[in-house]
Amino acid sequence: MSGDMPLSFVFASCPPAQVEPLLAALDDQEYSLPCSEHFRSPAVRCLPLGSDGTDAELDPGEIHDLYETLRRAAPQASFAVIGGASESGPGVLRMNHPRLGDFRTAVPSEDHPVSPLFSASQVLAILARDAHRPDAALRLHLALGRPWSRQFVNIGSGCLKAPSPRRTSPQQ
């Protein structure tokens, strides 16, 4: 039995200045995400928005390391790194959002890849801990990762181009 999980990414947004560092981090890890709009223009470097699966299979530790590498490269990007469920159990979901920060949990084997998985005992523990608070509903949404997941519901198509290096004219 293998503990390796199929790797996929979801990119929702990225500031223009962080597109190139994010692409460089993906290149360093030997992941290229082809853009359907610019596949005939190799000189254009861009980050495709939406979900992209890969042929890679990683163990959970490698998925967490890859996520942290991408997060350091583009902390203001909104993205997810998903290790799908494997023979050894549920998958791994790591989501980053510039205002919300980091979120991590498991993902089910046969669900949308950015839909978190929680056991009944985890949900009951959250409810028991926060039910008496006036902001209980908000705390439940945060604990269950709802604000992060909503970032990936209506991702537009297209890509984010990396700014091209500015050319300076030679001094005369």
Side-chain angles (χ1 to χ4, degrees):
M1 293 183 105
S2 169
D4 288 348
M5 302 172 169
L7 174 67
S8 59
F9 301 100
V10 180
F11 294 101
S13 67
C14 186
Q18 292 182 11
V19 171
E20 184 56 40
L22 184 58
L23 291 171
L26 287 164
D27 289 347
D28 289 347
Q29 300 294 315
E30 300 182 5
Y31 298 109
S32 63
L33 301 174
C35 174
S36 59
E37 293 185 27
H38 297 105
F39 68 95
R40 292 191 176 131
S41 304
V44 176
R45 298 247 313 151
C46 59
L47 178 69
L49 296 177
S51 182
D52 274 303
T54 70
D55 292 334
E57 289 193 2
L58 304 176
D59 70 49
E62 292 171 316
I63 290 169
H64 292 296
D65 291 345
L66 174 60
Y67 169 82
E68 292 299 336
T69 298
L70 298 180
R71 188 171 181 217
R72 281 189 302 275
Q76 298 302 307
S78 182
F79 67 92
V81 177
I82 303 118
S86 68
E87 296 170 354
S88 61
V92 172
L93 172 62
R94 295 292 302 268
M95 295 185 283
N96 185 64
H97 185 271
R99 289 185 309 278
L100 299 168
D102 175 45
F103 186 82
R104 70 191 286 176
T105 191
V107 289
S109 58
E110 295 181 18
D111 203 350
H112 189 273
V114 292
S115 179
L117 174 68
F118 297 92
S119 68
S121 61
Q122 288 173 309
V123 173
L124 290 173
I126 294 166
L127 290 172
R129 182 189 71 209
D130 295 333
H132 66 283
R133 297 176 181 258
D135 62 347
L138 172 63
R139 294 174 66 88
L140 179 63
H141 279 301
L142 290 171
L144 296 179
R146 293 292 306 246
W148 286 265
S149 296
R150 287 184 183 145
Q151 299 300 314
F152 303 104
V153 172
N154 294 316
I155 300 172
S157 60
C159 62
L160 300 170
K161 289 187 214 170
S164 56
R166 291 193 175 129
R167 295 185 182 179
T168 58
S169 54
Q171 296 286 356
Q172 294 187 2

